[in-house]
Tab-separated table of all heavy atoms in Angstrom:
chain	number	residue	atom	x	y	z
A	177	LEU	N	-1.407	-2.001	-14.945
A	177	LEU	CA	-0.262	-1.209	-15.398
A	177	LEU	C	0.114	-0.223	-14.295
A	177	LEU	O	-0.759	0.486	-13.775
A	177	LEU	CB	-0.651	-0.436	-16.668
A	177	LEU	CG	0.391	0.530	-17.218
A	177	LEU	CD1	1.626	-0.214	-17.723
A	177	LEU	CD2	-0.216	1.367	-18.356
A	178	LEU	N	1.388	-0.193	-13.907
A	178	LEU	CA	1.842	0.831	-12.954
A	178	LEU	C	2.094	2.105	-13.751
A	178	LEU	O	2.848	2.092	-14.726
A	178	LEU	CB	3.118	0.362	-12.242
A	178	LEU	CG	2.945	-0.689	-11.140
A	178	LEU	CD1	1.797	-0.343	-10.207
A	178	LEU	CD2	2.765	-2.082	-11.688
A	179	ASP	N	1.435	3.192	-13.316
A	179	ASP	CA	1.438	4.396	-14.143
A	179	ASP	C	1.143	5.602	-13.248
A	179	ASP	O	0.125	5.597	-12.538
A	179	ASP	CB	0.332	4.239	-15.205
A	179	ASP	CG	0.346	5.343	-16.242
A	179	ASP	OD1	0.894	6.431	-15.973
A	179	ASP	OD2	-0.221	5.126	-17.324
A	180	PRO	N	1.996	6.646	-13.280
A	180	PRO	CA	1.692	7.805	-12.423
A	180	PRO	C	0.361	8.471	-12.765
A	180	PRO	O	-0.170	9.234	-11.964
A	180	PRO	CB	2.865	8.767	-12.671
A	180	PRO	CG	3.733	8.158	-13.693
A	180	PRO	CD	3.232	6.790	-14.041
A	181	ARG	N	-0.209	8.160	-13.931
A	181	ARG	CA	-1.511	8.739	-14.300
A	181	ARG	C	-2.678	7.859	-13.867
A	181	ARG	O	-3.837	8.166	-14.156
A	181	ARG	CB	-1.582	8.950	-15.816
A	181	ARG	CG	-0.496	9.852	-16.369
A	181	ARG	CD	-0.446	9.716	-17.873
A	181	ARG	NE	-0.346	8.311	-18.257
A	181	ARG	CZ	-0.544	7.834	-19.486
A	181	ARG	NH1	-0.859	8.643	-20.457
A	181	ARG	NH2	-0.436	6.540	-19.737
A	202	LEU	N	2.407	-4.795	-14.636
A	202	LEU	CA	3.280	-4.376	-15.731
A	202	LEU	C	4.066	-3.143	-15.299
A	202	LEU	O	3.476	-2.088	-15.023
A	202	LEU	CB	2.454	-4.053	-16.980
A	202	LEU	CG	1.509	-5.160	-17.480
A	202	LEU	CD1	0.728	-4.678	-18.700
A	202	LEU	CD2	2.296	-6.428	-17.802
A	203	ALA	N	5.391	-3.282	-15.243
A	203	ALA	CA	6.247	-2.161	-14.842
A	203	ALA	C	6.725	-1.421	-16.087
A	203	ALA	O	7.367	-2.016	-16.953
A	203	ALA	CB	7.446	-2.696	-14.044
A	204	GLY	N	6.406	-0.130	-16.153
A	204	GLY	CA	6.881	0.682	-17.276
A	204	GLY	C	8.315	1.131	-17.040
A	204	GLY	O	8.880	0.924	-15.957
A	205	ARG	N	8.901	1.743	-18.051
A	205	ARG	CA	10.272	2.284	-17.979
A	205	ARG	C	10.387	3.468	-18.927
A	205	ARG	O	9.488	3.739	-19.705
A	205	ARG	CB	11.293	1.220	-18.413
A	205	ARG	CG	11.805	0.401	-17.272
A	205	ARG	CD	12.942	1.135	-16.517
A	205	ARG	NE	12.967	0.766	-15.105
A	205	ARG	CZ	13.790	1.310	-14.216
A	205	ARG	NH1	14.653	2.241	-14.568
A	205	ARG	NH2	13.739	0.959	-12.950
A	206	TYR	N	11.511	4.133	-18.870
A	206	TYR	CA	11.836	5.251	-19.779
A	206	TYR	C	10.750	6.333	-19.690
A	206	TYR	O	10.339	6.698	-18.612
A	206	TYR	CB	12.058	4.738	-21.209
A	206	TYR	CG	12.944	3.519	-21.244
A	206	TYR	CD1	12.503	2.307	-21.778
A	206	TYR	CD2	14.217	3.552	-20.670
A	206	TYR	CE1	13.312	1.179	-21.778
A	206	TYR	CE2	15.031	2.417	-20.657
A	206	TYR	CZ	14.571	1.243	-21.207
A	206	TYR	OH	15.354	0.131	-21.179
A	207	GLU	N	10.221	6.784	-20.838
A	207	GLU	CA	9.183	7.824	-20.784
A	207	GLU	C	7.796	7.232	-20.563
A	207	GLU	O	6.813	7.961	-20.506
A	207	GLU	CB	9.209	8.673	-22.050
A	207	GLU	CG	10.231	9.802	-22.010
A	207	GLU	CD	10.180	10.587	-20.692
A	207	GLU	OE1	9.107	11.098	-20.343
A	207	GLU	OE2	11.218	10.658	-20.025
A	208	GLY	N	7.724	5.911	-20.486
A	208	GLY	CA	6.434	5.268	-20.252
A	208	GLY	C	6.170	4.167	-21.261
A	208	GLY	O	7.096	3.606	-21.846
A	209	VAL	N	4.885	3.895	-21.471
A	209	VAL	CA	4.444	2.702	-22.193
A	209	VAL	C	3.516	3.130	-23.323
A	209	VAL	O	2.715	4.052	-23.146
A	209	VAL	CB	3.688	1.789	-21.196
A	209	VAL	CG1	3.118	0.569	-21.864
A	209	VAL	CG2	4.602	1.387	-20.039
A	222	LEU	N	-2.545	1.885	-11.986
A	222	LEU	CA	-2.413	2.347	-10.602
A	222	LEU	C	-1.178	3.201	-10.427
A	222	LEU	O	-0.100	2.882	-10.937
A	222	LEU	CB	-2.305	1.145	-9.651
A	222	LEU	CG	-3.529	0.262	-9.498
A	222	LEU	CD1	-3.208	-0.896	-8.552
A	222	LEU	CD2	-4.719	1.049	-8.968
A	223	SER	N	-1.352	4.284	-9.663
A	223	SER	CA	-0.235	5.143	-9.267
A	223	SER	C	0.009	4.949	-7.778
A	223	SER	O	-0.942	4.829	-7.006
A	223	SER	CB	-0.603	6.602	-9.522
A	223	SER	OG	0.311	7.447	-8.856
A	224	ILE	N	1.283	4.938	-7.359
A	224	ILE	CA	1.528	4.825	-5.912
A	224	ILE	C	1.711	6.198	-5.269
A	224	ILE	O	1.939	6.273	-4.063
A	224	ILE	CB	2.715	3.897	-5.572
A	224	ILE	CG1	4.039	4.420	-6.136
A	224	ILE	CG2	2.442	2.480	-6.023
A	224	ILE	CD1	5.240	3.853	-5.391
A	225	GLY	N	1.614	7.277	-6.035
A	225	GLY	CA	1.707	8.600	-5.425
A	225	GLY	C	2.014	9.645	-6.479
A	225	GLY	O	2.392	9.319	-7.604
A	226	ASP	N	1.859	10.895	-6.086
A	226	ASP	CA	2.042	12.000	-7.038
A	226	ASP	C	3.500	12.388	-7.161
A	226	ASP	O	3.913	13.473	-6.705
A	226	ASP	CB	1.193	13.204	-6.594
A	226	ASP	CG	-0.290	12.956	-6.836
A	226	ASP	OD1	-0.614	12.040	-7.624
A	226	ASP	OD2	-1.111	13.675	-6.260
A	227	TYR	N	4.283	11.498	-7.715
A	227	TYR	CA	5.685	11.738	-8.027
A	227	TYR	C	6.059	10.762	-9.112
A	227	TYR	O	5.349	9.777	-9.329
A	227	TYR	CB	6.585	11.550	-6.787
A	227	TYR	CG	6.189	10.374	-5.954
A	227	TYR	CD1	6.542	9.078	-6.341
A	227	TYR	CD2	5.411	10.531	-4.804
A	227	TYR	CE1	6.145	7.986	-5.594
A	227	TYR	CE2	5.015	9.442	-4.061
A	227	TYR	CZ	5.379	8.176	-4.450
A	227	TYR	OH	4.976	7.089	-3.714
A	228	VAL	N	7.162	11.055	-9.811
A	228	VAL	CA	7.543	10.192	-10.934
A	228	VAL	C	8.835	9.451	-10.589
A	228	VAL	O	9.848	10.070	-10.277
A	228	VAL	CB	7.719	11.018	-12.226
A	228	VAL	CG1	8.167	10.119	-13.375
A	228	VAL	CG2	6.408	11.717	-12.591
A	229	LEU	N	8.760	8.128	-10.658
A	229	LEU	CA	9.929	7.275	-10.436
A	229	LEU	C	10.517	6.876	-11.792
A	229	LEU	O	9.886	7.077	-12.827
A	229	LEU	CB	9.503	6.020	-9.671
A	229	LEU	CG	8.900	6.295	-8.292
A	229	LEU	CD1	8.124	5.098	-7.788
A	229	LEU	CD2	9.992	6.670	-7.304
A	230	THR	N	11.707	6.281	-11.747
A	230	THR	CA	12.344	5.926	-13.029
A	230	THR	C	11.686	4.716	-13.683
A	230	THR	O	11.827	4.512	-14.882
A	230	THR	CB	13.843	5.616	-12.823
A	230	THR	OG1	13.961	4.659	-11.776
A	230	THR	CG2	14.621	6.865	-12.457
A	231	GLY	N	10.983	3.906	-12.897
A	231	GLY	CA	10.357	2.732	-13.482
A	231	GLY	C	9.270	2.177	-12.595
A	231	GLY	O	9.101	2.617	-11.453
A	232	GLY	N	8.566	1.183	-13.102
A	232	GLY	CA	7.435	0.613	-12.360
A	232	GLY	C	7.823	-0.509	-11.413
A	232	GLY	O	6.940	-1.116	-10.800
A	233	GLU	N	9.137	-0.785	-11.269
A	233	GLU	CA	9.536	-1.914	-10.409
A	233	GLU	C	9.203	-1.645	-8.945
A	233	GLU	O	8.632	-2.504	-8.262
A	233	GLU	CB	11.038	-2.201	-10.569
A	233	GLU	CG	11.415	-2.859	-11.880
A	233	GLU	CD	11.340	-1.919	-13.071
A	233	GLU	OE1	11.346	-0.683	-12.877
A	233	GLU	OE2	11.271	-2.422	-14.213
A	235	PRO	N	6.995	0.574	-7.700
A	235	PRO	CA	5.540	0.530	-7.536
A	235	PRO	C	4.983	-0.901	-7.556
A	235	PRO	O	4.103	-1.233	-6.757
A	235	PRO	CB	5.020	1.348	-8.720
A	235	PRO	CG	6.127	2.316	-9.009
A	235	PRO	CD	7.396	1.572	-8.723
B	531	SAM	N1	6.349	10.110	-18.690
B	531	SAM	C1	5.569	9.517	-17.661
B	531	SAM	C2	4.639	10.552	-17.075
B	531	SAM	O1	4.966	11.732	-17.068
B	531	SAM	O2	3.550	10.180	-16.579
B	531	SAM	C3	6.455	8.955	-16.538
B	531	SAM	C4	7.169	7.710	-16.938
B	531	SAM	S1	8.114	7.021	-15.601
B	531	SAM	C5	9.660	7.841	-15.809
B	531	SAM	C6	8.451	5.396	-16.150
B	531	SAM	C7	7.556	4.319	-15.542
B	531	SAM	O3	7.724	4.315	-14.148
B	531	SAM	C8	6.077	4.472	-15.768
B	531	SAM	O4	5.674	3.962	-17.018
B	531	SAM	C9	5.488	3.681	-14.620
B	531	SAM	O5	5.429	2.300	-14.923
B	531	SAM	C10	6.524	3.881	-13.516
B	531	SAM	N2	6.145	4.902	-12.529
B	531	SAM	C11	6.803	6.048	-12.260
B	531	SAM	N3	6.215	6.731	-11.267
B	531	SAM	C12	5.146	5.995	-10.865
B	531	SAM	C13	4.137	6.170	-9.889
B	531	SAM	N4	4.094	7.256	-9.103
B	531	SAM	N5	3.213	5.207	-9.756
B	531	SAM	C14	3.216	4.119	-10.546
B	531	SAM	N6	4.143	3.903	-11.520
B	531	SAM	C15	5.102	4.825	-11.687
Side-chain angles (χ1 to χ4, degrees):
L177 175 66
L178 284 314
D179 187 338
R181 302 166 308 166
L202 305 178
R205 269 278 150 184
Y206 314 121
E207 276 313 304
V209 176
L222 293 178
S223 166
I224 63 158
D226 287 343
Y227 41 78
V228 178
L229 299 162
T230 52
E233 287 73 19

